Amino acid sequence: MSEIEEIVQGVLAGDRRSIAKAITVIENNPEKARRIIASIYPHTGKAHVIGVTGPGGSGKSTLIEKIIREYRRRGKTVGVVAVDPTSPFTGGAFLGDRIRMQELSVDEGVFIRSMATRNYLGGIARATKDAVKVLDASGRDVVIVETVGAGQSEVEIIKVAQTIVVVFAPGLGDEIQAIKAGVMEIGDIFVVNKADRENVDKSVMDIRAMLQLSNKEQAWTPPVLKTIALTGDGVAKLIEKIEEHRRFLEREAGREKAREKAETELVEAIKEKVASLMIEELEKEGEFESYLQKILRREIDPMSAAEKILKKKLGGC
Amino acid sequence: MHGERKIRVLIAKPGLDSHDRGAKIVARALRDAGMEVIYTGLRQTPEQIVETALQEDVDVIGLSILSGAHNTLFPRIMELLKQKGLTDVLVVAGGIIPDEDVPELEKLGIKGFFGPGTPTDKIVQFIFENAPKRS
């Protein structure tokens, strides 16, 4: 059996070492990653994927620890991908999300993986989506993705998760500032954490008011909940809402959402494939370089160059 | 962006001591050297450390200890690593470890010892040179 086949068999059998290795391959080796995903894909789609996002310091990691415990109490197995930023200057990363979840690392029903963004934008890493597929294929009932501290534009998580929980905390600055766009529009459930602090009701009201401004017709009205992640207060209620949203997806919007997700993935895959094929082709004959030189000399702009290339390669259109 | 494989390091504090300044300084230095550093916080059991190393698929484990319990905790960690098949992971240690204890710990497979005052560059270089080369 090849190394890849062995890893795939291990993942499907739920073997923890194989899951860990598969994710490493996905992060480092696109060609092998494709082979792994191709083999496990038919076994995915069973886990409920929850995205947890929100500004840094709102308590995402601590809350996730409590969410995991609650799911474990209900007999569910859980996988976690926790994303932290890569330093754009050194390429290194400090991954500290596990600090809050450490006791869970010896629970056989829990698998936690830290992941650096490696400068991918949008609040997750390029490999996050496929790491989620690995955990899904390994038989986890629930997969949780923790994004980097996010606010206004880190919304890539919608391509990965079915239920998105946006976590805020009172006192992180002007709420309106923090929530003017971005995460405000992607949340299925909103949580004001650290609800033992002052001004929590004001935060809840602010968020409700923001949500009401949206004129989108919605079959699902995002609830706004209060939690105290440190003590676990409100977490059982949060799980109820997550489960309610899961059932809602199964009933109504689920198929449409799955379709949208599949469509985005297919479009992106085609873009990537076609682009790399085309570039490879151009490089063979040194054309890439000659277009590049023309662009540098300002003789042609990049978009016109791309059009010309396409016409030539695909024959007029 | 794919490119050269990043070295993944677990920095762990086994046992009962609450001094993690040194561990954090080392973690920071390794990060600045371009590594991905997983930091797990204080008071870890050997089981937690080894299970974390497995899930995170790290290349290197750095153990920081100042409590004096290294002769109890380190053998247990090395034994668990062997049991789980994590035999190619580079294990280094820092903190307060008396010189006379080093030979025994080396026999267990721990490769680098970095006491107080070690320049962080030295640790970075050691890891670059000794981390397992994986594909």
Side-chain angles (χ1 to χ4, degrees), chain A residues 16-17 20 24 27-28 30 90-95 98-99 102-103 105 110-114 116 118, chain B residues 1-2 5-6 8 27 31-32 34-40 44 47-48 51-52 54-57 85-86:
Chain A
R16 307 157 75 75
R17 187 84 200 279
T24 303
E27 281 196 288
N28 293 298
T90 67
F94 186 89
L95 310 173
R98 285 191 90 100
I99 297 175
Q102 211 34 29
E103 273 174 47
S105 60
V110 181
F111 189 102
I112 302 168
R113 179 65 171 243
S114 314
R118 300 200 180 170
Chain B
M1 252 186 306
H2 303 283
R5 193 186 188 295
K6 299 259 182 219
R8 282 171 75 85
R31 187 203 81 158
D32 289 346
M35 300 179 201
E36 291 182 352
V37 183
I38 294 122
Y39 184 65
T40 52
Q44 302 294 302
E47 286 76 9
Q48 286 172 343
E51 191 53 42
T52 299
L54 182 147
Q55 292 177 19
E56 298 287 354
D57 197 21
L86 303 174

Side-chain angles (χ1 to χ4, degrees), chain A residues 81-269:
Chain A
V81 181
V83 188
D84 267 330
T86 291
S87 156
F89 302 106
T90 67
F94 186 89
L95 310 173
D97 290 324
R98 285 191 90 100
I99 297 175
R100 322 265 176 240
M101 313 175 193
Q102 211 34 29
E103 273 174 47
L104 296 166
S105 60
V106 287
D107 178 347
E108 291 268 326
V110 181
F111 189 102
I112 302 168
R113 179 65 171 243
S114 314
M115 187 176 275
T117 56
R118 300 200 180 170
N119 300 330
Y120 188 71
L121 299 175
I124 56 174
R126 184 184 294 275
T128 303
K129 205 191 313 172
D130 287 340
V132 167
K133 290 196 182 99
V134 168
L135 289 167
D136 183 349
S138 80
R140 304 276 140 179
D141 299 311
V142 177
V143 178
I144 302 171
V145 179
E146 176 177 357
T147 73
V148 304
Q152 297 170 353
S153 59
E154 294 87 348
V155 296
E156 280 278 298
I157 186 70
I158 46 171
K159 295 183 190 163
V160 180
Q162 288 139 359
T163 299
I164 293 173
V165 179
V166 180
V167 186
F168 292 112
L172 283 180
D174 185 342
E175 270 79 12
I176 301 303
Q177 178 63 22
I179 62 190
K180 60 187 170 191
V183 291
M184 208 55 209
E185 293 163 66
I186 61 168
D188 298 303
I189 297 168
F190 289 84
V191 171
V192 179
N193 189 32
K194 309 190 186 186
D196 48 345
R197 291 210 182 158
E198 269 179 57
N199 292 328
V200 59
D201 290 321
K202 170 145 190 335
S203 297
V204 170
M205 266 164 25
D206 281 346
I207 293 169
R208 286 216 175 104
M210 289 294 292
L211 289 172
Q212 277 158 8
L213 290 178
S214 158
N215 52 12
K216 245 192 311 182
E217 185 112 359
Q218 281 173 323
W220 169 265
T221 311
V224 185
L225 310 173
K226 290 189 271 189
T227 59
I228 307 171
L230 268 184
T231 60
D233 278 28
V235 173
K237 181 93 187 288
L238 170 58
I239 303 289
E240 284 307 323
K241 284 292 171 191
I242 293 173
E243 288 301 303
E244 206 178 292
H245 187 250
R246 185 177 61 80
R247 288 191 297 270
F248 163 77
L249 289 177
E250 277 168 10
R251 245 188 0 256
E252 305 182 33
R255 213 169 287 161
E256 195 185 321
K257 220 173 169 177
R259 202 195 131 87
E260 270 171 34
K261 236 169 76 178
E263 197 180 313
T264 322
E265 279 197 61
L266 179 60
V267 169
E268 276 180 13

Side-chain angles (χ1 to χ4, degrees), chain A residues 5-59:
Chain A
E5 281 166 22
E6 220 168 284
I7 289 176
V8 167
Q9 289 309 317
V11 167
L12 296 180
D15 171 57
R16 307 157 75 75
R17 187 84 200 279
S18 303
I19 298 170
K21 281 185 179 171
I23 297 174
T24 303
V25 171
I26 282 165
E27 281 196 288
N28 293 298
N29 189 323
E31 198 271 318
K32 283 183 184 170
R34 254 193 303 275
R35 280 160 56 202
I36 291 180
I37 296 303
S39 303
I40 64 170
Y41 196 78
H43 305 273
T44 60
K46 297 186 193 100
H48 186 59
V49 185
I50 303 164
V52 179
T53 189
S58 57

Side-chain angles (χ1 to χ4, degrees), chain B residues 10-107:
Chain B
L10 170 64
I11 296 290
K13 290 276 313 167
L16 300 174
D17 83 69
S18 55
H19 303 279
D20 63 352
R21 175 65 57 87
K24 282 178 177 158
I25 288 173
V26 171
R28 174 70 198 259
L30 300 181
R31 187 203 81 158
D32 289 346
M35 300 179 201
E36 291 182 352
V37 183
I38 294 122
Y39 184 65
T40 52
L42 298 166
R43 291 184 281 277
Q44 302 294 302
T45 64
E47 286 76 9
Q48 286 172 343
I49 292 169
V50 172
E51 191 53 42
T52 299
L54 182 147
Q55 292 177 19
E56 298 287 354
D57 197 21
V58 294
D59 308 291
V60 183
I61 302 174
L63 300 169
S64 165
I65 193 160
L66 296 99
S67 66
H70 47 273
N71 285 335
T72 312
L73 293 168
F74 286 9
R76 176 80 185 134
I77 291 168
M78 297 311 284
E79 176 57 33
L80 286 168
L81 283 174
K82 211 185 292 174
Q83 274 178 28
K84 303 254 178 189
L86 303 174
T87 44
D88 67 339
V89 178
L90 170 67
V91 183
V92 300
I96 308 290
I97 297 165
D99 289 343
E100 60 262 36
D101 291 345
V102 167
E104 275 304 308
L105 296 174
E106 273 177 334
K107 265 187 228 159

